[in-house]
Amino acid sequence: MILKDSFYTIESQTKTETGWTCGLSLNASHPIYQAHFPGHPVTPGVCIVQLAKEIVSVCCAKSFFLCGVGNVKFLRIIDPTEQQNLFVHLLEERTDAQGRLVVPVSIRNGTAVFASLKLTLMPDGDEPPALQARMERLRLCVLIPTYNNGGTLADVLRQTLRYTRSVIVVNDGATDCTASILEQFAGKIDVVSHTPNRGKGYALRRGFERAGELGYEAVITLDSDGQHDAADLEAFVRQAEIHPGCLLAGQRVTKGRMPSGNSFANRFSNFWYAVQTGHRLPDTQNGFRLYPLAAMKHMRPCSVRYEAEVELLVRAAWRGIPALPVPVRVYYAPESERVTHFRPGRDFLRISLLNTLLTLLALCYGYPRMLCRKLFTLKRTR
């Protein structure tokens, strides 16, 4: 039984000098609690072991068989109504003589230790990722543009490779450790590099071109800063199977409040998208999207930086490509840890100028084209 995303949710994942630390929230309404401990929810020991095994799989980006559990100490009762948030610490793993992974695990909340144990695990084979076959049928790949996100890129790639091997990374002239990180994944991902840094719009253009060369008909774009959850790839694949040829735009779902700057930028962008297309989307600023390249017919962004994502949404609407929202989770790191390449002054000016241009084009080109298409469709249906 898989407990992740039902019995508990991973809220954060951090690589430390001694291993990994994952922040969790427990779901006290899970049927396990209701069935076995009605009125007094206590986390069963078997669930603690399974939870620890799943956390190891997430951090290592690999599935394991559980071979043994040792040094088990259940020191405090884990009541999800009292300790909803916990931290799971994985100490540096080692490999034993049989090639098995041995990982010490402790579960804490602040300084209080609730449980500790040592897992012995065996990789369960080199099976294809869960979504691989479905993505191959759709001729769909993941596209990750990256620029100086060396602190998060490796984790993003590990998580993405759990779901698919169809991954293209565009190194947009990074000057940090990005190149060496990409070398660690040689043979597992396709890499496109250029220098100097040209901006996200240019990186998307290069990625679209590479995807076309490799025979893909759609791409899911994923940011490399760790904000997106690769598990949400399944939601995009499911919607692509139901709505082929549609542009799917991630709609951010957060447990806390979205940072004020992001919230304002999204409302601003949503308003102008509605003006320029006559359609509405709840989130036009999220970079987690599926672009149907076959339906877009070689459409490439003219803008070279962040505003390219707005441009593509608007031009796709003018071309008659439906845009649908897909709820996705998003993680905002603390402000002190957040890495952003958005330049508030210059980039906001570029976006404003683009919106002015798109509004003018909507009047003389976009709306007339959408009207002609609607009239043509009505004529064919009569």
Side-chain angles (χ1 to χ4, degrees):
M1 179 180 181
I2 303 300
L3 301 180
K4 183 175 175 289
D5 297 327
S6 57
F7 190 82
Y8 70 94
T9 302
I10 298 177
E11 303 293 347
S12 63
Q13 182 181 338
T14 307
K15 185 77 168 70
T16 67
E17 293 182 356
T18 57
W20 289 88
T21 297
C22 290
L24 310 183
S25 62
L26 299 180
N27 176 17
S29 64
H30 193 278
I32 287 177
Y33 290 122
Q34 304 304 315
H36 297 284
F37 302 97
H40 186 64
V42 174
T43 305
V46 67
C47 290
I48 294 174
V49 173
Q50 175 65 16
L51 180 152
K53 171 182 171 290
E54 291 180 13
I55 296 298
V56 174
S57 293
V58 167
C59 292
C60 295
K62 196 167 188 177
S63 298
F64 294 94
F65 288 118
L66 181 62
C67 300
V69 183
N71 298 351
V72 179
K73 296 179 182 178
F74 297 136
L75 304 174
R76 288 180 171 83
I77 292 173
I78 301 178
D79 182 341
T81 62
E82 296 179 359
Q83 296 92 26
Q84 184 179 7
N85 297 307
L86 295 173
F87 289 94
V88 177
H89 298 278
L90 310 181
L91 300 181
E92 196 67 42
E93 70 274 5
R94 64 177 177 83
T95 304
D96 66 9
Q98 289 77 41
R100 301 176 302 181
L101 196 68
V102 180
V103 187
V105 180
S106 67
I107 300 176
R108 304 168 178 263
N109 186 352
T111 57
V113 180
F114 291 90
S116 64
L117 57 157
K118 183 180 291 184
L119 302 181
T120 303
L121 306 162
M122 179 70 78
D124 66 355
D126 193 23
E127 77 286 355
L131 291 183
Q132 187 64 35
R134 293 165 67 189
M135 292 181 67
E136 288 176 357
R137 284 195 296 270
L138 295 168
R139 296 187 181 180
L140 171 64
C141 70
V142 173
L143 170 61
I144 304 176
T146 187
Y147 172 64
N148 286 1
N149 279 124
T152 54
L153 177 60
D155 289 342
V156 170
L157 290 175
R158 274 193 289 266
Q159 294 303 312
T160 303
L161 289 169
R162 291 183 63 225
Y163 299 94
T164 179
R165 293 172 183 161
S166 303
V167 180
I168 299 172
V169 178
V170 179
N171 179 2
D172 185 21
T175 56
D176 61 355
C177 58
T178 292
S180 61
I181 291 172
L182 295 178
E183 287 177 1
Q184 298 173 20
F185 294 88
K188 299 180 180 179
I189 60 175
D190 192 85
V191 178
V192 177
S193 299
H194 57 259
T195 55
N197 171 250
R198 300 287 296 273
K200 190 172 186 180
Y202 185 81
L204 289 174
R205 188 188 310 170
R206 291 289 307 277
F208 290 174
E209 291 169 354
R210 182 57 178 163
E213 292 170 1
L214 295 175
Y216 294 112
E217 296 185 354
V219 302
I220 299 175
T221 56
L222 181 70
D223 289 347
S224 64
D225 59 4
Q227 285 191 7
H228 300 151
D229 188 341
D232 287 324
L233 289 169
E234 199 279 334
F236 281 93
V237 173
R238 183 171 63 251
Q239 291 301 315
E241 291 168 335
I242 299 170
H243 305 286
C246 289
L247 192 157
L248 304 176
Q251 177 184 351
R252 287 168 284 189
V253 177
T254 62
K255 291 200 172 183
R257 293 185 61 185
M258 189 184 299
S260 57
N262 298 74
S263 180
F264 169 78
N266 192 44
R267 292 196 304 271
F268 180 85
S269 180
N270 292 351
F271 169 79
W272 285 110
Y273 175 78
V275 169
Q276 293 152 4
T277 67
H279 302 296
R280 293 187 179 277
L281 272 177
D283 194 343
T284 56
Q285 286 282 296
N286 190 5
F288 206 171
R289 296 179 180 173
L290 184 148
Y291 291 101
L293 299 185
M296 291 165 67
K297 296 179 182 177
H298 306 293
M299 181 194 298
R300 301 292 181 261
C302 298
S303 311
V304 295
R305 297 198 177 273
Y306 290 101
E307 66 273 18
E309 292 175 311
V310 174
E311 174 203 331
L312 287 171
L313 276 181
V314 173
R315 290 174 59 196
W318 291 348
R319 190 170 283 192
I321 299 172
L324 302 174
V326 176
V328 296
R329 289 157 289 191
V330 65
Y331 167 69
Y332 289 106
E335 192 169 352
S336 59
E337 301 175 13
R338 204 173 302 159
V339 177
T340 178
H341 306 297
F342 185 81
R343 303 164 300 179
R346 272 195 284 180
D347 286 334
F348 189 76
L349 176 60
R350 294 173 69 97
I351 292 170
S352 298
L353 291 173
L354 176 66
N355 278 317
T356 301
L357 176 61
L358 289 175
T359 301
L360 294 173
L361 287 174
L363 295 175
C364 62
Y365 172 77
Y367 275 103
R369 179 168 181 169
M370 289 188 291
L371 178 60
C372 289
R373 182 178 296 104
K374 184 176 292 187
L375 293 174
F376 179 73
T377 303
L378 288 174
K379 184 178 180 181
R380 290 186 61 183
T381 56
R382 285 181 180 176

